[in-house]
Amino acid sequence: MKLKDYTATAKAALRVAMECSPRILWKFMYNFGWRNLKNINQFERRQAKGEDFFPAFIMISITESCNLACSGCWVTTTGKQSLSPEQLDGIISQSKRKGSYFFGILGGEPLLYKGLLEIMEKHSDCYFQLFTNGTLITEELALRFKKMGNITPLISIEGLKQESDERRGRNDVFEKTLAGVRACRKAKLIIGAAASICKSNFNDLVNREHLERLAAEGIHYFWYYIYRPVGPNPNVANALDEDEILDLRRFIVEQRKNAPLLLIDTYWDDKGNALCPAATGMSHHIAPSGAVEFCPPIQMAKDFINEDASNLVDLFRQSEFLDQFRKMTAEKSRGCIILEDPEKLVQFLEMQEAIDSTSRQTVAQEYLTMRPVAGHNLQGKEIPEENVFYRIMKKKYFFGFGAYG
């Protein structure tokens, strides 16, 4: 193994150890690290043996409400749908029965959900990645996160000042988001940032200067997404083309050699082959309506949790809709069907008689107007991981779980 790979990754990891409180580190290593390792192994065995299906991780959108109005967002931010506290608590409890203790908490803006922290505090044996725009994080709130110890805020930074204001529909969003980051840094939290990369923010965010800027602000890991032109107001012209996606992949692989923070993606395995986490069964999504969905941007479903989510395990075990969805997407492509073949997606959803799970009730019509754009399935142009640490992690966690044969 290359010593320089260890050194580069160790430096990024050392920042976490040096900058975060001992309680935060312990919760991360045990709740996320140890429990997650056991969970992945259990999931892998279930998949290999053809046992009852349950995803390794569940992403939970708890509310449609949001204090921003971002262009290209698939959430109905003016909607009123939210999971009940009993449903949220039940989702977590039922998942723990299957060995899953890690959850992504999304919105809208999840910090608008009353009672969220009390539920996460109740489940102190779990670890939560809180997807937030950061504008509502105060020093007081960050200190509460620190006391709980089982939350890592993943703060969305969609561009610098001008792009943030234009894309997110409000003024001074960049400054307010950074204020939230700084509150988290003062509380010595493990802090993540995320960005949906599109044409309008590519030059600002896909460069070494931005990674160093984030690290200087106290960010410990950065998660790159690929922009999906979905929702009530999609901006197809802002979608990346194939060359830009290749440049993004190349940049991530190159920067992993010596970046001052950890770089995350869920699009490619260790060899650079594309994958879809939902097609592998690794993760699925629960919407504010209680719909059990394939993934967050695909807002149509046939399965819904009951008033306390006590039926969740049975839904995953019995859902022909999700089973057929996984098979269909894996057979079609290793990439993202919503980008590459929206027509095939519509045909499948119509055949399955899936239901719109949003407040706006226009998703089916939105999909009918979509046209294919470039995805991350770059056959013949794969870029393998070069950093040994990332290569091992990807080989362990992103090899497809048999979904692609």
Side-chain angles (χ1 to χ4, degrees):
M1 294 185 180
K2 298 177 182 178
L3 179 60
K4 63 180 181 179
D5 289 347
Y6 278 129
T7 302
T9 307
K11 285 182 178 179
L14 184 60
R15 284 190 52 233
V16 179
M18 297 295 291
E19 297 174 9
C20 300
S21 73
R23 177 175 175 77
I24 293 291
L25 293 173
W26 166 248
K27 285 279 191 176
F28 173 77
M29 289 187 293
Y30 188 74
N31 286 17
F32 177 78
W34 172 243
R35 288 189 184 277
N36 197 31
L37 180 63
K38 291 175 63 179
N39 174 39
I40 284 288
N41 287 335
Q42 291 174 357
F43 171 76
E44 183 179 340
R45 286 196 297 270
R46 289 196 301 268
Q47 293 293 89
K49 294 180 180 180
E51 296 177 350
D52 290 346
F53 175 79
F54 196 88
F57 314 113
I58 296 179
M59 312 295 282
I60 312 171
S61 289
I62 57 179
T63 181
E64 290 180 317
S65 299
C66 189
N67 60 326
L68 300 181
C70 301
S71 171
C73 180
W74 58 75
V75 179
T76 313
T77 55
T78 58
K80 302 299 182 183
Q81 292 186 146
S82 291
L83 293 172
S84 71
E86 293 76 18
Q87 287 177 315
L88 178 56
D89 180 69
I91 293 166
I92 297 168
S93 297
Q94 292 295 312
S95 298
K96 287 160 64 172
R97 282 181 51 199
K98 302 298 290 186
S100 181
Y101 289 80
F102 174 68
F103 303 89
I105 304 296
L106 304 83
E109 171 50 55
L111 290 176
L112 292 173
Y113 184 95
K114 293 182 180 180
L116 173 61
L117 298 190
E118 287 76 11
I119 293 173
M120 292 194 289
E121 201 166 31
K122 172 183 176 181
H123 294 281
S124 60
D125 53 349
C126 294
Y127 201 78
F128 300 96
Q129 189 171 49
L130 185 68
F131 291 66
T132 173
N133 59 50
T135 61
L136 301 179
I137 299 178
T138 62
E139 290 188 3
E140 180 182 11
L141 184 58
L143 285 173
R144 185 168 179 190
F145 290 168
K146 178 182 180 180
K147 182 178 180 181
M148 294 167 64
N150 61 343
I151 299 172
T152 175
L154 181 63
I155 299 173
S156 176
I157 301 176
E158 295 298 330
L160 304 184
K161 178 175 173 49
Q162 181 177 348
E163 173 70 10
S164 292
D165 288 355
E166 291 178 356
R167 178 114 170 253
R168 315 205 75 166
R170 298 288 187 273
N171 295 325
D172 302 322
V173 173
F174 186 62
E175 291 82 357
K176 292 175 182 176
T177 297
L178 286 184
V181 171
R182 291 161 185 166
C184 292
R185 182 180 188 180
K186 187 174 181 180
K188 297 185 177 181
L189 305 179
I190 297 175
I191 314 165
S196 177
I197 302 302
C198 54
K199 288 184 181 296
S200 60
N201 66 10
F202 193 99
N203 291 335
D204 282 343
L205 304 188
V206 186
N207 60 71
R208 179 59 178 240
E209 181 182 2
H210 184 60
L211 299 185
E212 293 177 350
R213 181 188 302 116
L214 293 175
E217 289 287 353
I219 301 293
H220 299 110
Y221 64 98
F222 189 34
W223 195 338
Y224 279 109
Y225 304 114
I226 294 173
Y227 171 74
R228 284 157 172 73
V230 295
N233 298 298
N235 184 355
V236 178
N238 213 13
L240 299 178
D241 58 37
E242 182 176 305
D243 288 341
E244 288 166 329
I245 294 175
L246 273 170
D247 287 344
L248 174 62
R249 170 61 179 166
R250 192 175 294 111
F251 173 80
I252 293 173
V253 169
E254 183 66 26
Q255 290 302 314
R256 279 175 170 154
K257 296 176 182 178
N258 57 8
L261 72 179
L262 299 171
L263 295 178
I264 311 298
D265 78 81
T266 56
Y267 295 119
W268 296 281
D269 67 12
D270 61 302
K271 296 181 177 62
N273 296 311
L275 57 76
C276 165
T280 68
M282 187 163 55
S283 71
H284 283 308
H285 174 251
I286 298 178
S289 63
V292 181
E293 298 176 340
F294 185 71
C295 67
I298 298 180
Q299 299 176 294
M300 299 190 74
K302 292 189 68 175
D303 308 294
F304 291 79
I305 59 173
N306 58 18
E307 65 279 359
D308 60 359
S310 58
N311 64 338
L312 182 63
V313 173
D314 286 339
L315 284 181
F316 277 123
R317 176 173 58 86
Q318 299 170 356
S319 176
E320 294 183 7
F321 174 68
L322 290 175
D323 181 60
Q324 293 301 315
F325 213 148
R326 290 190 295 272
K327 291 177 181 177
M328 183 272 292
T329 52
E331 290 170 359
K332 173 62 184 177
S333 170
R334 294 184 65 106
C336 177
I337 190 169
I338 202 168
L339 294 180
E340 297 176 8
D341 198 343
E343 183 178 357
K344 177 71 173 179
L345 174 64
V346 168
Q347 291 172 354
F348 174 81
L349 294 173
E350 289 179 344
M351 180 184 67
Q352 291 285 329
E353 298 181 342
I355 299 169
D356 188 331
S357 64
T358 70
S359 291
R360 64 184 185 274
Q361 292 294 300
T362 57
V363 170
Q365 185 59 39
E366 292 165 15
Y367 290 165
L368 285 171
T369 62
M370 290 182 65
R371 296 294 178 267
V373 296
H376 62 283
N377 186 28
L378 307 169
Q379 292 186 351
K381 300 178 183 180
E382 294 83 1
I383 303 174
E385 295 292 342
E386 296 182 13
N387 181 299
V388 173
F389 170 79
Y390 287 95
R391 190 159 66 238
I392 292 172
M393 294 300 292
K394 287 293 192 78
K395 191 171 183 178
K396 175 62 179 174
Y397 292 111
F398 290 87
F399 61 89
F401 301 106
Y404 302 108

